[in-house]
Amino acid sequence: MKHLLKATAVLLASLAIISCGRKSESYPMFWTWIEDIPSIDMESAFTHMEEAGLDAVMLHAPSVEAYKKDVEIARRHGIKVYAWVWTLNPPRQERAQMLEEHPDWFSVNRNGESVADHKAYVNSYKFLCPALPEVREYLRKKVEDIVAVDGVEGICLDYCRLIDCVLPISLAYNYNLRQDTEVWPEYDYGYHPAMLEKFEKEYGYDPRDQEDPSRDEKWCEFRCNQVTEVANLMCEVAHKAGKKVTASPFAAIGLDKFMVFQDFAKWDLDMVHPMAYCDFYTMDPSFARDATLSNYLGKGEGTTLMCGVDTELGGDPELIFDKMDAAFSAGAQGISLYTVEGLTSADLRARFKVYADSLRAVRAAGELPEAPAVAPSTDPFDNASLMAVVERNMQRMIANGAIHERSVNGMIPDDPSVSYPALELGEYELVFENERLRRYHVTDAASGKTLEVLFVLYGDLISGWDVRLL
């Protein structure tokens, strides 16, 4: 319960400083995502949401009729429904037919390979080209049908991006990739003939003629803008129907632009739930704080900032309270869980509900805290909790243990009950640096081993690390 008490004390203290706060919106405060598939008992799932004290769900259902059915279940449990709309990556129910009927709609990489018949990381990544009028019309009609459902409060845009040109550094181990300092052409998407033609008409050159197209600012911005146009088309359709729009983009502004060509600060959103999934990036709850700070400073003026946090991506579910504390301290106005099923026991859901109810009381009293008007530090040595995670994994490696495996986040879970010999580290020597990466060497005098330590800088925050024995 210490997390609850800490968060509540911090937030109640902030109420006294009204001039530093902002008026909180009336949107639901605690959310989750869920997909209606045959293996999920929706009644049980909504029961778990109610037990955890959630207000809203971002729900993907396979049809309009399924949305109508699920809305009725949600109403009985006091849960508001926003449609979780898979946009540029069609849902599995539509994918096969689209591949058969419209293979020319799918995205193309720098090598000229279409994802229609080429695997990019996983078979489910079949992204569409955002520049095509036919794709935009397909998405306009999809949103139009969903927002017509009575009881659907709004939509949540997801997969509104291109395929990851780079992965979080630990996740790359799942695919035997090293993406430290370059963007590989086979994972660099957006080169559909329609995109290239549209770009060349506007800028007068083919981006493929550049030595490294991934560093061409005009080409990167153009791809972001194509995605933005698609997002804002769907926002327009929903708003015209009187519905709200949120989105679940990548973790932070800047990071999203580089990794997947999103720029959600330009989207006409009412709310945004950036996916600040700590266990995909740094394994440290402070990532939720840093990502939220970055988003608070860069988001659209009329957009209410939430924070998506992870409960089931490899880390300890109990850390959810630390992650939420971190997000709220940086200006988040609400939380979304990926997912409520990561609260794996009735006891954990009950404690979550106490936390959620306490935060709702703070908001009802008038104010939530303003984010500090500072950007997150990009110096890893400023972040003691991050360095503790990194150095714990250095100990594991020195003891001949592995830290990576093929798993949901590319990491082997740490067993905190295992003790390792203390480190006797010398100075961290910076041996390489660019706008995306810092690489250090450091020697442990106790073992005589030297390690390479990398920190990834996508956007204006530390967005990953790795440890390797030299």
Side-chain angles (χ1 to χ4, degrees):
M1 202 62 68
K2 61 176 182 164
H3 306 286
L4 164 63
L5 295 174
K6 178 174 68 174
T8 305
V10 168
L11 294 174
L12 287 172
S14 74
L15 301 184
I17 313 174
I18 302 298
S19 61
C20 294
R22 58 173 286 182
K23 197 77 173 178
S24 62
E25 302 290 349
S26 59
Y27 301 124
M29 197 170 184
F30 290 90
W31 305 57
T32 191
W33 286 270
I34 192 171
E35 185 178 4
D36 182 347
I37 55 178
S39 61
I40 292 181
D41 180 337
M42 297 300 287
E43 186 70 48
S44 175
F46 278 104
T47 297
H48 286 174
M49 293 178 209
E50 185 177 10
E51 288 175 357
L54 300 185
D55 306 293
V57 61
M58 292 172 276
L59 165 72
H60 179 257
S63 67
V64 166
E65 290 307 311
Y67 271 114
K68 291 177 180 177
K69 171 182 66 70
D70 292 336
V71 163
E72 289 306 312
I73 300 173
R75 280 176 173 154
R76 293 199 300 271
H77 292 276
I79 308 292
K80 293 187 180 297
V81 173
Y82 283 67
W84 177 13
V85 182
W86 295 19
T87 60
L88 289 170
N89 187 28
R92 62 179 63 83
Q93 297 89 348
E94 303 171 25
R95 197 176 297 144
Q97 183 177 352
M98 293 184 70
L99 285 165
E100 181 178 350
E101 295 180 357
H102 305 292
D104 54 319
W105 286 11
F106 288 82
S107 191
V108 175
N109 67 19
R110 203 194 313 171
N111 288 338
E113 299 162 318
S114 171
V115 77
D117 50 29
H118 177 77
K119 181 179 177 180
Y121 303 116
V122 291
N123 290 325
S124 59
Y125 268 27
K126 298 296 181 185
F127 280 68
L128 303 172
C129 171
L132 289 170
E134 300 91 337
V135 168
R136 296 187 182 194
E137 176 59 20
Y138 153 75
L139 292 171
R140 184 198 65 76
K141 183 64 167 60
K142 173 187 279 195
V143 172
E144 198 172 63
D145 290 344
I146 291 172
V147 296
V149 177
D150 181 47
V152 169
E153 304 281 332
I155 60 171
C156 172
L157 305 180
D158 199 6
Y159 291 111
C160 196
R161 60 180 179 88
L162 302 188
I163 290 170
D164 320 51
C165 66
V166 294
L167 296 168
I169 193 167
S170 60
L171 194 60
Y173 280 86
N174 281 351
Y175 307 96
N176 297 315
L177 295 175
R178 290 282 292 269
Q179 297 174 311
D180 294 352
T181 57
E182 63 179 332
V183 174
W184 295 7
E186 57 264 49
Y187 298 106
D188 186 15
Y189 277 81
Y191 293 79
H192 190 285
M195 290 275 278
L196 293 169
E197 180 182 0
K198 196 170 182 179
F199 177 82
E200 189 162 6
K201 184 177 181 180
E202 184 171 346
Y203 290 100
Y205 67 94
D206 187 326
R208 294 171 297 181
D209 294 337
Q210 305 299 302
E211 182 176 350
D212 183 355
S214 76
R215 284 175 162 82
D216 186 301
E217 291 185 8
K218 290 186 177 67
W219 176 230
C220 292
E221 189 71 16
F222 175 82
R223 285 184 282 181
C224 284
N225 288 343
Q226 295 306 300
V227 173
T228 291
E229 289 178 14
V230 167
N232 285 339
L233 170 64
M234 292 183 285
C235 290
E236 182 181 5
V237 173
H239 286 149
K240 186 176 180 181
K243 303 298 175 79
K244 299 295 186 181
V245 184
T246 185
S248 47
F250 266 40
I253 291 171
L255 178 154
D256 66 328
K257 292 179 69 173
F258 174 67
M259 294 181 78
V260 293
F261 303 101
Q262 285 176 324
D263 190 0
F264 69 81
K266 295 181 180 177
W267 299 0
D268 296 330
L269 302 172
D270 301 290
M271 297 161 280
V272 66
H273 295 254
M275 300 181 292
Y277 297 160
C278 304
D279 292 336
F280 268 171
Y281 293 96
T282 66
M283 309 295 293
D284 174 44
S286 70
F287 180 74
R289 176 200 66 213
D290 289 352
T292 302
L293 278 175
S294 177
N295 293 328
Y296 189 89
L297 294 170
K299 70 178 181 63
E301 185 177 351
T303 301
T304 296
L305 178 62
M306 311 292 192
C307 181
V309 292
D310 51 309
T311 62
E312 54 179 88
L313 297 178
D316 181 355
E318 293 279 345
L319 290 177
I320 185 59
F321 301 106
D322 287 332
K323 295 170 184 177
M324 292 190 295
D325 286 352
F328 280 122
S329 75
Q333 303 292 299
I335 293 290
S336 49
L337 299 180
Y338 190 80
T339 68
V340 69
E341 295 306 313
L343 305 180
T344 51
S345 68
D347 174 70
L348 187 53
R349 290 192 291 275
R351 286 189 285 131
F352 188 97
K353 185 178 187 304
V354 172
Y355 183 105
D357 287 346
S358 73
L359 269 291
R360 274 190 287 265
V362 169
R363 188 172 77 168
E367 293 289 325
L368 285 174
E370 185 81 9
V374 293
S377 174
T378 58
D379 183 346
F381 305 106
D382 288 342
N383 188 332
S385 63
L386 171 63
M387 291 306 300
V389 172
V390 171
E391 292 183 1
R392 170 71 176 179
N393 282 279
M394 292 167 66
Q395 290 177 298
R396 294 169 69 189
M397 292 204 77
I398 288 170
N400 298 318
I403 63 173
H404 294 294
E405 67 175 358
R406 184 170 183 86
S407 63
V408 65
N409 63 358
M411 298 292 292
I412 298 173
D414 184 19
D415 181 352
S417 69
V418 177
S419 297
Y420 297 104
L423 297 171
E424 297 179 22
L425 297 178
E427 294 292 322
Y428 282 80
E429 178 190 2
L430 182 64
V431 296
F432 176 83
E433 181 177 20
N434 66 15
E435 73 277 14
R436 300 177 186 170
L437 190 80
R438 292 186 196 142
R439 182 182 291 126
Y440 296 85
H441 289 172
V442 63
T443 298
D444 172 44
S447 64
K449 295 182 178 180
T450 298
L451 302 102
E452 182 175 76
V453 184
L454 298 85
F455 294 98
V456 179
L457 306 170
Y458 298 149
D460 295 325
L461 76 166
I462 298 169
S463 50
W465 57 267
D466 198 13
V467 173
R468 300 163 185 169
L469 279 170
L470 293 176

